């Protein structure tokens, strides 16, 4: 991918993410900021769940949370920022609800990043799950009510669930998966969160490069795919 293609993708993402956000998103986090990544296997990325330490390579996994933390910590060595990853492979929104207090609220994040939604559809195909698009939207909105009440100044970043048409992703996914992406955007708008349109970004990338280069099975990012997410995340967080 050329630099021109990458810049074009970033511009497309920025244009698509103009949703209402709180004033805290207009400046870089202060020293001592706690950044928390939540989600499913894309966020989990093989992390060591036995480790609860901040800024630990093993605890952050091998995906975009590690890439983000590594770059920011190198750029701001005196900032005392703390990065945590609490993504769990296979999770859906209802799973996040069950562990939300312990794995989110109790950590008192200043920046809360969430990427959830792929399993909320995928598990309907092969795990007997029957949650609807409406269930996803209502449960997701309810999930974000708690941080607003307990952590009124938290900067919430909602990463759009995305898939690429390769590997496990076939015609069965559509149009419902697109409906779930739209639901995530509405949830972000209601929560006054920053919305990162990852599907738009990856669609741009696949114009010049095969989808499996970014996500071999259509769902789980390759190292290149994780790097794209990390770059878009840093732009959204102003880091």
């Amino acid at each position: 991918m050329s630099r021109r293609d990458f810049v074009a993708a970033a511009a497309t993402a920025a244009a698509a993410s103009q949703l209402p956000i709180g004033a805290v998103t207009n400046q870089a986090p202060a020293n001592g900021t706690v950044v928390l990544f939540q989600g499913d296997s894309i966020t989990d990325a093989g992390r060591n769940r036995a480790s609860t330490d901040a800024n630990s390579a093993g605890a952050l996994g091998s995906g975009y949370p590690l890439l983000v933390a590594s770059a920011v910590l190198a750029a701001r060595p005196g900032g005392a920022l703390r990065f945590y990853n609490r993504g769990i492979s296979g999770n859906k929104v209802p799973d996040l609800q069950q562990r939300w207090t312990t794995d989110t609220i109790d950590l008192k994040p200043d920046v809360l990043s969430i990427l959830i939604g792929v399993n909320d559809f995928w598990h309907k195909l092969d795990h007997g799950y029957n949650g609807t698009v409406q269930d996803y939207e209502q449960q997701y909105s309810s999930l974000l009510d708690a941080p607003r009440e307990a952590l009124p100044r938290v900067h919430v970043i909602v990463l759009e669930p995305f898939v690429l048409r390769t590997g496990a992703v076939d015609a069965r996914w559509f149009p419902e998966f697109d409906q779930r992406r739209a639901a995530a955007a509405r949830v972000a708008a209601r929560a006054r969160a920053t919305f990162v349109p990852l599907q738009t970004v990856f669609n741009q990338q696949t114009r010049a490069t095969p989808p499996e280069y970014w996500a071999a099975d259509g769902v789980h990012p390759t190292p290149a795919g994780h790097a794209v997410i990390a770059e878009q995340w840093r732009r959204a967080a102003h880091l």
Side-chain angles (χ1 to χ4, degrees), residues 7 31 101 117 132 142 153 180 188 222:
V7 171
N31 288 354
T101 297
T132 65
S142 175
R153 292 193 56 79
R180 290 174 182 270
T222 60

Side-chain angles (χ1 to χ4, degrees), residues 36-208:
L36 172 62
F37 298 97
Q38 268 290 7
D40 51 33
S41 57
I42 300 173
T43 302
D44 182 329
R47 70 180 177 90
N48 177 8
R49 298 180 199 166
S51 174
T52 59
D53 296 337
N55 304 339
S56 163
L60 287 168
S62 60
Y64 74 91
L66 176 64
L67 298 179
V68 168
S70 299
V72 175
L73 291 170
R76 301 180 62 185
L81 278 78
R82 289 171 288 160
F83 289 86
Y84 296 95
N85 183 353
R86 291 295 185 270
I88 293 184
S89 180
N91 266 197
K92 301 180 289 294
V93 172
D95 300 306
L96 289 187
Q97 288 179 314
Q98 293 179 11
R99 60 187 183 86
W100 201 239
T101 297
T102 300
D103 284 354
T104 301
I105 303 301
D106 288 353
L107 289 172
K108 296 181 173 58
D110 300 289
V111 180
L112 169 61
S113 171
I114 310 171
L115 173 54
I116 197 75
V118 167
N119 294 319
D120 294 75
F121 174 77
W122 201 358
H123 287 185
K124 293 182 67 175
L125 298 180
D126 54 15
H127 284 68
Y129 182 62
N130 59 6
T132 65
V133 174
Q134 291 72 27
D135 292 333
Y136 171 70
E137 184 167 354
Q138 292 169 2
Q139 292 165 353
Y140 204 164
S141 290
S142 175
L143 200 67
L144 294 188
D145 284 342
R148 284 207 306 269
E149 295 172 1
L151 309 164
R153 292 193 56 79
V154 67
H155 174 190
V156 179
I157 300 175
V158 172
L159 299 175
E160 180 184 30
F162 67 93
V163 293
L164 303 183
R165 293 182 184 241
T166 189
V169 180
D170 54 30
R172 296 175 299 165
W173 287 68
F174 307 98
E176 184 171 331
F177 187 77
D178 290 334
Q179 294 166 358
R180 290 174 182 270
R181 292 195 299 107
R186 291 192 295 269
V187 167
R190 283 193 293 269
R192 297 186 62 79
T194 298
F195 182 69
V196 183
L198 291 178
Q199 189 70 65
T200 299
V201 173
F202 279 110
N203 287 348
Q204 181 74 23
Q205 306 287 23
T206 58
R207 291 180 182 178

